[in-house]
Amino acid sequence: AQKITQTQPGMFVQEKEAVTLDCTYDTSDPSYGLFWYKQPSSGEMIFLIYQGSYDQQNATEGRYSLNFQKARKSANLVISASQLGDSAMYFCAMREDTGRRALTFGSGTRLQVQP
Amino acid sequence: EAGVVQSPRYKIIEKKQPVAFWCNPISGHNTLYWYRQNLGQGPELLIRYENEEAVDDSQLPKDRFSAERLKGVDSTLKIQPAELGDSAVYLCASSLEPEDGYEQYFGPGTRLTVT
């Protein structure tokens, strides 16, 4: 079974609008972390935001926020006030703290911001 | 502070030839990861090092892939002989664990094309 599922292969958003990228996960480990990375066309993976499984509040980093719904096992990324430079691939990933401790990535969502 | 350095950035080889990739992690980072990213997919872990020790190489195809991390700093990933299916981007990442255990810093990757 896939551990990380991103059901949106591609998304479009107008500049200055907000967009939500979906991510669901599957784990039996009580302690885990959820991550979002951005991968521009240049190829590097850029860390955006982290949410721990025991964190009570949703994580926020500037224009990025993570909508963490533990019971639903979802960790959606919300980008507010989209900018043209936000156009990229976005990957959701999970790390199980008592397991392999490496990141397991989803298949990604390609976001295109339109002017 | 310098980021994770990888070389070469691009490599084109014929099948059955050997190839090697080099990674220099962020100074002081004790944990090093090699991931493979196939086109249109998220990265998948090949091997994880803690200092000099390979603590997770369960996904490394050991018949043709090998890796080393001498002195717990730089690392080399080798493929011999390469197959057409090895065409992918090979990403190196590093982290400082457990102090900074949740964030992995990625290099720009090496794009391998096997013809």
Side-chain angles (χ1 to χ4, degrees):
Chain A
Q2 283 213 351
K3 291 203 169 187
I4 297 287
T5 303
Q6 294 181 254
T7 58
Q8 306 155 313
M11 289 281 286
F12 289 90
V13 65
Q14 290 292 125
E15 195 177 7
K16 300 180 184 177
E17 298 286 311
V19 63
T20 298
L21 306 183
D22 294 341
C23 173
T24 57
Y25 61 93
D26 184 30
T27 181
S28 57
D29 195 327
S31 179
Y32 53 90
L34 296 158
F35 306 75
W36 279 91
Y37 281 83
K38 172 183 178 181
Q39 188 175 43
S41 56
S42 53
E44 74 272 28
M45 299 287 283
I46 302 169
F47 168 77
L48 295 178
I49 196 166
Y50 164 83
Q51 178 87 40
S53 58
Y54 294 115
D55 293 342
Q56 295 295 316
Q57 293 190 324
N58 287 342
T60 60
E61 289 285 349
R63 294 186 299 111
Y64 305 107
S65 60
L66 198 152
N67 184 0
F68 181 45
Q69 297 189 45
K70 195 170 183 177
R72 293 186 177 183
K73 292 189 175 179
S74 74
N76 298 339
L77 176 71
V78 180
I79 306 174
S80 62
S82 298
Q83 301 172 356
L84 295 178
D86 294 335
S87 294
M89 284 290 290
Y90 288 80
F91 290 96
C92 179
M94 176 177 66
R95 186 177 107 155
E96 295 166 312
D97 293 339
T98 57
R100 300 182 65 205
R101 295 176 60 203
L103 293 173
T104 301
F105 287 84
S107 56
T109 296
R110 180 170 297 281
L111 176 67
Q112 295 187 56
V113 181
Q114 297 175 320
Chain B
E1 179 182 299
V4 176
V5 179
Q6 290 187 248
S7 68
R9 290 294 313 276
Y10 304 91
K11 189 73 176 179
I12 301 173
I13 61 171
E14 294 183 347
K15 62 182 180 182
K16 301 184 182 179
Q17 294 300 305
V19 65
F21 315 124
W22 176 79
C23 173
N24 179 239
I26 292 173
S27 178
H29 279 194
N30 56 347
T31 304
L32 184 146
Y33 305 78
W34 282 103
Y35 290 87
R36 176 169 60 188
Q37 185 176 19
N38 292 316
L39 188 64
Q41 299 180 21
E44 295 178 322
L45 180 73
L46 290 173
I47 189 168
R48 175 168 69 95
Y49 282 93
E50 288 183 7
N51 300 305
E52 301 93 346
E53 183 181 0
V55 296
D56 185 352
D57 63 356
S58 58
Q59 300 303 308
L60 190 72
K62 298 181 183 63
D63 57 336
R64 298 182 301 106
F65 285 65
S66 64
E68 61 182 10
R69 190 183 185 199
L70 300 176
K71 300 181 181 178
V73 182
D74 296 1
S75 179
T76 302
L77 178 69
K78 298 178 181 178
I79 308 175
Q80 182 171 11
E83 297 179 352
L84 295 176
D86 295 331
S87 295
V89 175
Y90 291 83
L91 294 163
C92 179
S94 71
S95 65
L96 179 61
E97 301 188 21
E99 291 89 344
D100 190 20
Y102 63 79
E103 184 170 348
Q104 294 180 22
Y105 298 82
F106 283 80
T110 296
R111 183 177 297 276
L112 174 66
T113 302
V114 182
T115 63

